[in-house]
């Protein structure tokens, strides 16, 4: 795999394992499993972020609940078919994982860098309190002609700047991965709580095409 491709999508998170491993899929005899970690924000909240990890990196039968890990990898997406619709499912594809005994520097718990292309016109809006927000969807290339589609959210002057991006613009993004709970209306009487994942942008640069 080309090093350049890996450079365009880098994420590192430090958090506490809060679930057991569940089987996801197998590729060429290698099993991949999902596990959730809680990553503290500087506020009292935590983001619950799913990791996708190979059975070759960790003993997936072990009980690691409550242990702190550092995971390094890429933020990836795939389309899951649900009935007639596709749902974008996001997780961190882990390349390296380390257990951490003691940890104090909470400024480094959650860092991501993406270099990709705007693949949908940005949606710019203001909250009732006047805060500016822009929603972006970034296509980040992967080897073998694949791409990951990563939702990003920019605030304030970054939002204003991003609102002018056209589809196809190349953008570099620095930020953090965050989880957000929302309610999905399934029918007139049924609702379901779901979690969305996105990149909260702290800095962005645009390579004008």
């Amino acid at each position: 795999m080309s090093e350049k491709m890996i450079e365009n999508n880098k994420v590192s998170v430090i958090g506490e394992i809060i679930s057991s491993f569940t089987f996801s899929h197998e590729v060429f005899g290698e099993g991949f499993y999902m596990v959730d970690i809680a990553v503290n924000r500087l506020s009292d909240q935590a983001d619950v972020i799913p990791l996708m990890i190979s059975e070759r990196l960790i003993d997936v039968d072990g009980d690691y609940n409550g242990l702190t890990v550092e995971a390094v990898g890429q933020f990836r997406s795939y389309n899951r078919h649900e009935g007639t619709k596709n749902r974008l499912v996001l997780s961190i594809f882990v390349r390296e994982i380390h257990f951490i005994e003691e940890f104090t520097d909470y400024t480094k718990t959650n860092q991501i860098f993406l270099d990709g292309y705007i693949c949908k016109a940005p949606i710019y809006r203001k909250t009732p309190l006047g805060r500016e927000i822009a929603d972006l969807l970034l296509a980040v290339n992967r080897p073998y002609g694949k791409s990951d589609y990563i939702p990003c959210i920019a605030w304030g002057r970054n939002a204003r700047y991003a609102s002018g991006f056209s589809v196809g613009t190349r953008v570099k993004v620095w930020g953090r991965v965050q989880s957000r709970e929302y309610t999905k209306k399934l029918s007139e009487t049924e609702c379901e709580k779901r979690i969305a994942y996105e990149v909260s942008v702290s800095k962005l640069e645009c390579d004008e095409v």
Side-chain angles (χ1 to χ4, degrees):
M1 186 178 295
S2 85
E3 209 43 51
K4 197 168 185 312
M5 282 294 189
I6 295 172
E7 290 300 304
N8 67 1
N9 183 338
K10 293 190 291 190
V11 60
S12 132
V13 289
I14 296 171
E16 184 183 316
I17 293 181
I18 55 168
S19 75
S20 50
F21 287 84
T22 54
F23 178 74
S24 170
H25 64 284
E26 195 176 283
V27 182
F28 302 125
E30 184 176 1
F32 289 88
Y33 289 75
M34 304 298 296
V35 67
D36 286 337
I37 66 169
V39 178
N40 286 325
R41 296 189 188 183
L42 289 173
S43 61
D44 285 340
Q45 285 179 299
D47 292 295
V48 174
I49 298 172
L51 306 182
M52 183 180 286
I53 188 162
S54 163
E55 61 189 354
R56 294 178 189 175
L57 285 181
I58 196 167
D59 173 11
V60 293
D61 295 322
D63 178 11
Y64 306 105
N65 261 294
L67 296 183
T68 299
V69 291
E70 178 180 21
V72 178
Q74 294 178 293
F75 202 28
R76 289 194 176 177
S77 71
Y78 71 95
N79 272 319
R80 189 161 71 203
H81 303 292
E82 292 188 353
T84 54
K85 290 185 177 167
N86 278 344
R87 185 168 155 208
L88 194 68
V89 179
L90 293 148
S91 61
I92 292 176
F93 181 81
V94 177
R95 296 192 171 282
E96 296 170 36
I97 189 160
H98 313 282
F99 289 95
I100 294 179
E101 287 299 320
E102 223 175 293
F103 183 68
T104 51
D105 188 355
Y106 284 98
T107 59
K108 294 190 170 67
T109 54
N110 188 334
Q111 300 179 91
I112 187 167
F113 167 73
L114 299 171
D115 180 352
Y117 298 86
I118 299 288
C119 57
K120 217 167 125 181
I123 297 165
Y124 173 80
R125 63 191 194 279
K126 282 188 178 177
T127 67
L129 294 173
R131 197 172 186 199
E132 297 171 283
I133 300 174
D135 292 309
L136 312 171
L137 189 63
L138 216 58
V140 180
N141 292 335
R142 227 198 271 177
Y144 315 114
K146 289 185 175 177
S147 293
D148 291 296
Y149 296 93
I150 312 292
C152 301
I153 187 161
W155 315 87
R157 59 191 182 84
N158 280 337
R160 217 170 314 137
Y161 178 45
S163 66
F165 295 165
S166 52
V167 172
T169 303
R170 185 177 174 185
V171 177
K172 291 177 179 169
V173 161
W174 290 261
R176 61 196 313 285
V177 179
Q178 67 180 23
S179 62
R180 178 171 50 82
E181 211 173 68
Y182 69 101
T183 304
K184 170 87 173 170
K185 195 173 176 185
L186 302 177
S187 66
E188 286 306 314
T189 53
E190 266 186 296
C191 284
E192 182 181 273
K193 276 204 165 154
R194 289 186 174 177
I195 297 179
Y197 303 99
E198 62 210 356
V199 172
S200 178
V201 176
S202 57
K203 178 184 164 191
L204 49 81
E205 284 177 7
C206 162
D207 290 3
E208 294 297 344
V209 181

